[in-house]
Amino acid sequence: MSSSPAPDALLGPADVRELAAALGVRPTKQRGQNFVIDANTVRRIVRTAEVRPDDVVVEVGPGLGSLTLALLETADRVTAVEIDDVLAGALPATIAARMPERADRFALVHSDAMHITGLPGPPPTALVANLPYNVAVPVLLHMLDTFPSIERTLVMVQAEVADRLAAPPGSKVYGVPSVKAGWYAEVKRAGAIGRKVFWPAPNVDSGLVSLVRRADPVRTTASKREVFAVVDAAFAQRRKTLRAALAGWAGSAAAAEAALVAAGVSPQARGESLTVEEFARIAEHAEHAGNAEHAGNAEHAEHAGNAEHPAPAAEAAHAAPAVRTAVSTREHADTEESGQQ
């Protein structure tokens, strides 16, 4: 159970500027640095995240510590993952100075969040973070995948990304982030954050996204990698029917159609209309795509007078999109993230 910190333990506008000046940190829009300066906002985030006194919270990109301090007011433990050398070096001292009675409940991991494979102390039960915009989705998915103990997540991201993450099938903004987040959790928008609570104020709005770990994982014999390969292929050409969009994945349009029919999905449907469960069913029937492709190649070879050596079925190989490494402070990118189809 946490003890009550001093009333002025959280960072206000003057505190943030003073800390930044002492560290030689000069936030600029060019560098994408925007620090939260409003104590009411970080407390609201903690309330919306439903952080409990027994929670072990992991935070990505704590920056100067505005949200970190608010989390320590309520959670049992907080582990912050910070990549920036200067900010990582200063954060423990900030915690010790402003919340000494909780300093022993805080841990810092100086690392790139995309490379994290483990954390000190008990397994995290919650992820609460003000995520860097340009890597928000990759970091979120990596953390959910790496730490299955995370039951509840609340992240602050660019409003447009929040809409994509929480979009239902059939929505205009439903896409790769929506489906992949849905693989792990029930996702919903949890509020909006104004620009004035940041220093300097960004030129985009922010949104809160709540993710509650699925009580029942997606039931499928396909692996996550296999399912995500289908998702990536379906949205790479989102205006095309699945028969056409999945042709590369399956080896041919005919092979894609065979897999779709076997999965009970219309070949004329488009990716934005499918649930994560339907994508999983398609991945399960990849063998139908292989069989159809093999038959098609054999027929082609026979007509060519080379039936003894039919061309092999094309393998479905899909490399993950390149991802920039996580940065310590919020980055507001006007361009869409990689994979934000």
Side-chain angles (χ1 to χ4, degrees):
M1 181 72 66
S2 62
S3 57
S4 298
D8 58 351
L10 301 193
L11 300 176
D15 300 313
V16 170
R17 290 181 173 87
E18 182 180 340
L19 272 173
L23 297 174
V25 174
R26 301 179 61 184
T28 65
K29 292 183 179 181
Q30 182 179 2
R31 293 177 62 188
Q33 293 179 318
N34 302 86
F35 300 115
V36 179
I37 59 175
D38 181 61
N40 290 329
T41 296
V42 291
R43 284 199 173 108
R44 174 192 164 195
I45 291 172
V46 173
R47 287 195 306 270
T48 305
E50 299 181 359
V51 175
R52 302 187 296 250
D54 61 345
D55 269 324
V56 177
V57 179
V58 58
E59 179 190 8
V60 175
L64 292 170
S66 297
L67 179 57
T68 315
L69 289 163
L71 290 167
L72 278 169
E73 282 188 328
T74 302
D76 181 50
R77 294 177 180 273
V78 175
T79 299
V81 180
E82 177 60 68
I83 190 174
D84 184 89
D85 294 340
V86 173
L87 296 175
L91 187 55
T94 300
I95 301 300
R98 304 190 72 86
M99 210 171 282
E101 72 284 0
R102 302 291 295 155
D104 63 337
R105 317 303 286 181
F106 171 74
L108 175 75
V109 176
H110 184 192
S111 178
D112 182 340
M114 287 299 296
H115 297 163
I116 288 289
T117 58
L119 293 169
T125 58
L127 166 64
V128 184
N130 175 16
L131 289 178
Y133 281 168
N134 68 321
V135 291
V137 173
V139 167
L140 173 63
L141 297 178
H142 174 73
M143 295 298 289
L144 290 175
D145 190 63
T146 305
F147 301 102
S149 60
I150 293 176
E151 302 168 354
R152 287 162 290 112
T153 294
L154 187 79
V155 291
M156 178 158 58
V157 295
Q158 184 176 344
E160 182 180 354
V161 175
D163 289 339
R164 292 179 183 276
L165 283 168
S171 167
K172 291 182 179 180
V173 295
Y174 182 74
V176 171
S178 324
V179 183
K180 292 184 178 180
W183 171 267
Y184 300 101
E186 300 296 332
V187 189
K188 67 178 182 179
R189 280 291 300 261
I193 300 294
R195 305 181 187 189
K196 294 182 179 179
V197 302
F198 297 99
W199 173 64
N203 57 5
V204 292
D205 293 322
S206 302
L208 298 176
V209 181
S210 167
L211 301 96
V212 177
R213 178 82 63 173
R214 294 176 68 118
D216 297 313
V218 177
R219 295 184 179 181
T220 179
T221 57
S223 68
K224 179 203 71 174
R225 183 174 182 176
E226 291 169 334
V227 176
F228 282 13
V230 178
V231 174
D232 290 336
F235 287 100
Q237 303 177 77
R238 66 180 297 145
R239 293 188 177 184
K240 291 188 176 182
T241 65
L242 287 171
R243 184 182 189 277
L246 296 181
W249 164 79
S252 72
E257 181 170 351
L260 289 162
V261 171
V265 176
S266 170
Q268 300 307 310
R270 288 176 170 78
E272 58 262 33
S273 67
L274 269 58
T275 65
V276 64
E277 289 81 6
E278 288 172 312
F279 279 111
R281 289 209 307 271
I282 297 170
E284 287 178 5
H285 290 88
E287 69 273 11
H288 291 274
N291 292 337
E293 176 68 2
H294 180 81
N297 285 330
E299 182 179 358
H300 175 76
E302 183 175 359
H303 288 305
N306 189 29
E308 292 183 358
H309 302 283
E315 293 187 14
H318 299 275
V323 176
R324 289 176 55 193
T325 55
V327 294
S328 59
T329 55
R330 166 172 294 277
E331 293 203 8
H332 297 268
D334 293 326
T335 57
E336 293 183 346
E337 298 180 28
S338 174
Q340 298 287 304
Q341 289 97 340

